[in-house]
């Protein structure tokens, strides 16, 4: 989009009071803001947590470049509902400035472990570059005034990163210039794909598979491939492929203690129970199995010294279960 328009939008988002500069669209939305808030309060019962799913995805895409996981999405939406937050990101930028609880919630993006891993060592220029890629699908010119606007605002301390990513997203969705409309299409396609991806995580196995840095990176690159021309309906194949890959790559779930206990009963107790237990290690006691866990791992998985001479015929599958 042209820089001057970008700055206007940015300024409207950041300084909503200076509305004379914002053009017709923004003025009318500002006039509507007060009655709409009132309506939101009166109609609280009609707002459901699901109504916040799009804004949650918008915030995740802007900040993390990925779709929300179902648990994160639901928690975030439930908290927004409880705070009676707006469901629209334009109004959210106002609410952020006016309501400390909403601000704290949005700011939690910036204090998360994922944020530290993604941006921890990087400066604000690196941060703004990533947010532009997440929201607009292109690398910004670091000399452009649109870019410098955000970088300087962050460097000056007048703006924090959570607020900046939300405002850049809000600006992209509000921009009605020709380039802005294309950008808006890209963002909306990414939100639609992200929403469909999160909805596709419909079993515990799939939900658990979408965790950790590698899974996040896979979904990040899937979303990065979505642009203004993406046909969201046919992209569902890419979504199910991504889910299948996540499930295939997921580490096996940790076995339950009962499973481990059954193996120990069968393979170890002949020599490790009661008063005559070898090496004084009574594996008939759960407390000893827990306290000796590291030693059991060492003897069974690393050195394979136990069971002694494999007298009890322990299988490799059983050693794998002990390992997990
Ligand atoms: C055939 C008998 C026998 C079986 C079966 C057996 N152990 Fe042992 N275990 C021993 C003996 C004997 C020692 C003492 C070895 C030593 O002190 O060098 C021992 C020692 C150990 C030790 C202590 C090692 C150390 O360095 O202090 C651990 C832990 C252990 N066994 C775990 C197990 C586990 C777990 C199983 C089942 C998967 C198992 N053992 C099955 C005979 C057995």
């Amino acid at each position: 989009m042209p820089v001057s328009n970008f700055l206007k939008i940015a300024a409207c988002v950041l300084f909503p009071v200076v509305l004379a500069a914002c053009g017709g669209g923004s003025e009318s939305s500002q006039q509507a803001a007060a009655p709409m808030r009132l309506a939101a309060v009166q109609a609280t019962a009609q707002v459901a947590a699901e109504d916040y799913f799009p804004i949650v995805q918008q915030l995740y895409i802007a900040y993390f470049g990925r779709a929300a996981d179902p648990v994160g999405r639901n928690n975030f939406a439930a908290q927004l509902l409880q705070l009676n937050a707006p469901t629209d990101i334009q109004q959210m930028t106002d609410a952020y400035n006016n309501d400390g609880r909403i601000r704290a919630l949005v700011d939690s993006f910036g204090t998360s472990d994922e944020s530290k891993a993604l941006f921890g060592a990087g400066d604000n220029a690196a941060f703004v570059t990533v947010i532009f890629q997440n929201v607009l699908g292109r690398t910004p010119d670091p000399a452009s005034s649109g870019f410098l606007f955000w970088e300087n605002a962050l460097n000056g301390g007048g703006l924090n990163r959570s607020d900046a990513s939300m405002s850049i997203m809000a600006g992209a969705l509000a921009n009605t210039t020709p380039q802005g409309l294309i950008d808006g299409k890209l963002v909306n396609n990414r939100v639609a794909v992200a929403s469909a991806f999160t909805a596709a995580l419909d079993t515990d196995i799939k939900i658990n598979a979408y965790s950790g840095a590698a899974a996040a990176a896979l979904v990040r690159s899937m979303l990065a491939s979505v642009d203004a021309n993406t046909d969201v309906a046919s992209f569902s194949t890419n979504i199910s492929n991504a889910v299948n890959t996540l499930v295939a790559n997921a580490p096996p779930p940790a076995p339950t203690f009962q499973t481990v206990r059954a193996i120990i009963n069968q393979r170890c107790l002949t020599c490790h129970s009661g008063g005559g237990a070898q090496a004084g290690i009574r594996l008939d006691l759960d407390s000893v199995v827990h306290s000796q866990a590291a030693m059991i791992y060492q003897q069974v998985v690393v050195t394979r010294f136990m069971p002694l001479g494999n007298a009890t015929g322990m299988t490799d599958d059983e050693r794998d279960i002990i390992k997990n």
Side-chain angles (χ1 to χ4, degrees):
M1 79 188 84
V3 158
S4 56
N5 281 326
F6 185 88
L7 277 170
K8 267 195 219 160
I9 288 157
C12 292
V13 167
L14 285 173
F15 315 113
V17 179
V18 195
L19 277 168
C22 290
S26 299
E27 272 169 34
S28 56
S29 74
Q30 175 68 10
Q31 280 156 9
M36 275 168 80
R37 263 217 207 110
L38 194 59
V41 173
Q42 286 161 349
T44 299
Q46 283 155 25
V47 179
E50 290 77 29
D51 297 331
Y52 291 99
F53 287 179
I55 199 172
V56 171
Q57 296 287 7
Q58 287 163 359
L59 294 173
Y60 267 75
I61 291 168
Y63 203 98
F64 295 131
R66 65 174 178 88
D69 55 288
V71 175
R73 180 199 61 186
N74 295 351
N75 284 343
F76 207 102
Q79 292 182 72
L80 288 170
L81 177 65
Q82 206 178 15
L83 295 176
N84 198 23
T87 54
D88 173 77
I89 195 160
Q90 313 300 337
Q91 293 174 38
M92 250 318 247
T93 57
D94 287 347
Y96 178 93
N97 291 320
N98 299 331
D99 187 328
R101 298 163 311 163
I102 289 176
R103 182 158 56 243
L105 187 59
V106 173
D107 284 351
S108 65
F109 276 94
T111 53
S112 67
D113 289 345
E114 183 172 2
S115 171
K116 282 174 203 146
L118 281 175
F119 304 114
D123 58 16
N124 287 323
F127 177 80
V128 173
T129 301
V130 172
I131 304 307
F132 268 61
Q133 286 163 339
N134 291 345
V135 174
L136 302 174
R138 58 174 179 266
T139 302
D141 172 4
S144 67
S145 39
F147 180 88
L148 290 169
F149 176 85
W150 295 107
E151 189 195 1
N152 292 339
L154 287 167
N155 285 343
L159 189 70
N160 75 25
R161 289 180 169 188
S162 306
D163 190 8
S165 69
M166 176 172 68
S167 298
I168 291 170
M169 172 60 90
L173 286 165
N175 188 346
T176 53
T177 65
Q179 179 61 50
L181 293 176
I182 297 172
D183 290 341
K185 191 136 198 303
L186 180 148
V187 174
N188 283 324
N189 283 348
R190 289 190 177 178
V191 172
V193 165
S195 304
F197 170 85
T198 308
L201 301 176
D202 54 3
T203 65
D204 284 349
I205 289 175
K206 292 176 192 170
I207 290 170
N208 292 334
Y210 185 34
S211 75
L218 187 138
V219 174
R220 209 170 279 132
S221 70
M222 178 190 75
L223 264 196
S225 74
V226 174
D227 62 23
N229 300 317
T230 300
D231 179 51
V232 173
S234 33
F235 201 82
S236 62
T237 316
N238 305 49
I239 292 175
S240 34
N241 288 345
V243 172
N244 291 341
T245 305
L246 289 178
V247 170
N249 292 346
T256 63
F257 183 75
Q258 279 91 325
T259 308
V260 172
R261 160 54 70 209
I263 294 171
I264 286 177
N265 288 353
Q266 197 184 352
R267 307 300 185 192
C268 315
L269 293 196
T270 40
C271 306
H272 285 285
S273 73
Q278 294 292 350
I281 295 186
R282 288 196 53 182
L283 297 181
D284 53 331
L285 303 177
D286 286 353
S287 60
V288 174
V289 173
H290 285 295
S291 67
Q292 296 294 317
M295 188 63 117
I296 293 170
Y297 179 87
Q298 180 71 18
Q299 295 288 327
V300 173
V301 178
V302 182
T303 67
R304 298 166 70 97
F305 198 58
M306 290 292 145
L308 195 62
N310 203 7
T312 47
M314 185 174 220
T315 67
D316 284 349
D317 284 351
E318 288 168 345
R319 288 187 203 271
D320 279 345
I321 292 171
I322 302 286
K323 183 176 161 191
N324 289 325

